[in-house]
Amino acid sequence: MTQEDTDRIIEMAWEDKTPFEAINFQFGLTEQDVIAIMRRQLKRSSFHLWRKRVNSGMSKKHLHKRPAGISRFKSSIQRQITLNKISKR
């Protein structure tokens, strides 16, 4: 796994609305794999804050905690974001 992949996994793990299933879909990593990466890469205090946040009610890291109306992993404008075609207004 490259450093860029690891950085992206950490970024996705910190996002409240990105479920573990999206990380699994994109990188083939289970929730336990993500937890192991976060444990290795973050400072101890940062890791504990992240785990507390993931296990709290505000995080939607598990699909069963998400509202039924959300059925996709990507934003509807993800392609434009990836290709940097969003106009700056």
Side-chain angles (χ1 to χ4, degrees), residues 18-34:
T18 304
F20 286 114
E21 290 81 1
I23 298 171
N24 185 317
F25 179 78
Q26 188 169 352
F27 295 99
L29 299 173
T30 65
E31 179 179 349
Q32 294 303 316
D33 296 334
V34 174

Side-chain angles (χ1 to χ4, degrees), residues 1 5-15 17-35 37-38 50 54 61 63 66 73:
M1 184 175 302
D5 289 343
T6 303
D7 290 345
R8 181 63 183 138
I9 291 165
I10 292 170
E11 182 181 352
M12 290 174 76
W14 269 109
E15 295 170 351
K17 292 186 178 182
T18 304
F20 286 114
E21 290 81 1
I23 298 171
N24 185 317
F25 179 78
Q26 188 169 352
F27 295 99
L29 299 173
T30 65
E31 179 179 349
Q32 294 303 316
D33 296 334
V34 174
I35 292 170
I37 289 171
M38 297 295 277
W50 175 74
V54 167
K61 296 303 286 182
L63 285 180
R66 297 180 84 172
F73 294 142

